[in-house]
Amino acid sequence: MPSRRHLLGEMRDVLRGNDREAALAALAATPAKTRLGPLFSLLLDRDSLVRWRAVTAFGAAMAEIADARLEDARDVWRNLMWRVNEESGNIAWGIPECMGETLAVCPPLAREFHRILLSYVQDLPGDCTFIDHAPLRRGAWWAIARLAEAAPELCAPALPEIVAALGDCDPAARGLACLAVARVRPDPSRTLLDALTALAGDTAAFDRYDGWALATASVADAAAQALAACRSCM
């Protein structure tokens, strides 16, 4: 069994490859549970593309674990929840993204835990799990957009928050909310259509990760995509 440091270096090199399927297949040669520790470390890598691809690899590992024994995957999910909790003392960079990727590729976990993910953007009265640190909440927005890609109906309960985020001061939140709208494809209200139309001139940029490639996108382009999806439902 290679040392953790050796495995970490090997996995980093694999994640730098251009072929997504080949990279994930190479990682799968190591048992899924063994991969999780190094992947947690790679969520903090200096290379932003490695960090994002570690999210994808984390989801793939979780899918394997869930297929073998769902309760083991539940245990890892609970660990993710603890890492997001302020009481854990962690700065949970990359954890909401791992949660979104996990739910997107593990339907049984998505059915059980999607409301937990949505709660991170729901600022409710009293005690709630809303992430009040905007840069970390950005990861939750990505996670919701990712889940909406796989199971849009599970994200519908957060539509009020998604629509509100179209006016967020953070360009990434606006852009990711647009992607979530495009994927959920809700019945378009006048409020939603007006909010998307208002973003037509929003040239602010945000990072858009599609599962292996990382690119810069404009809020305006994401809004146009969401507007087209909404109009197709009319």
Side-chain angles (χ1 to χ4, degrees):
M1 176 70 68
S3 69
R4 180 187 173 96
R5 177 174 294 184
H6 180 74
L7 184 58
L8 182 65
E10 284 190 339
M11 291 174 66
R12 179 185 292 111
D13 289 342
V14 169
L15 291 175
R16 285 173 172 157
N18 292 327
D19 188 325
R20 179 182 188 275
E21 298 310 316
L24 294 178
L27 292 177
T30 300
K33 290 182 181 179
T34 303
R35 301 201 301 269
L36 293 184
L39 287 172
F40 275 126
S41 297
L42 291 171
L43 294 175
L44 303 176
D45 197 81
R46 293 185 299 273
D47 185 331
S48 60
L49 189 55
V50 169
R51 294 197 301 269
W52 275 112
R53 289 176 175 177
V55 169
T56 299
F58 190 96
M62 284 292 283
E64 290 181 40
I65 293 170
D67 284 344
R69 188 171 185 269
L70 187 57
E71 189 56 37
D72 289 345
R74 290 190 182 109
D75 286 341
V76 178
W77 175 268
R78 295 183 188 107
N79 179 267
L80 296 176
M81 289 172 57
W82 170 246
R83 287 171 182 260
V84 174
N85 190 323
E86 290 182 357
E87 295 178 3
S88 72
N90 290 303
I91 299 177
W93 299 121
I95 301 302
E97 292 92 328
C98 284
M99 297 174 102
E101 184 66 23
T102 293
L103 297 189
V105 298
C106 297
L109 292 182
R111 289 191 293 271
E112 289 185 45
F113 297 117
H114 66 281
R115 292 186 184 276
I116 297 294
L117 176 62
L118 302 184
S119 74
Y120 294 139
V121 300
Q122 294 173 324
D123 192 4
L124 304 174
D127 189 20
C128 68
T129 54
F130 176 73
I131 297 175
D132 59 7
H133 184 49
L136 186 59
R137 191 167 63 250
R138 190 180 299 160
W141 283 121
W142 183 88
I144 290 169
R146 175 68 180 100
L147 177 58
E149 187 175 19
E153 72 283 359
L154 297 183
C155 296
L159 270 173
E161 289 77 21
I162 294 171
V163 174
L166 297 173
D168 198 289
C169 61
D170 179 8
R174 298 196 300 273
L176 293 167
C178 288
L179 295 184
V181 169
R183 292 165 179 174
V184 174
R185 298 169 67 89
D187 290 335
S189 66
R190 174 50 55 188
T191 299
L192 175 56
L193 293 176
D194 287 348
L196 291 172
T197 301
L199 295 176
D202 190 338
T203 58
F206 69 102
D207 289 338
R208 181 169 178 173
Y209 175 69
D210 69 358
W212 205 248
L214 182 62
T216 300
S218 73
V219 175
D221 286 345
Q225 180 181 342
L227 196 57
C230 288
R231 284 175 173 163
S232 70
C233 298
M234 296 175 69

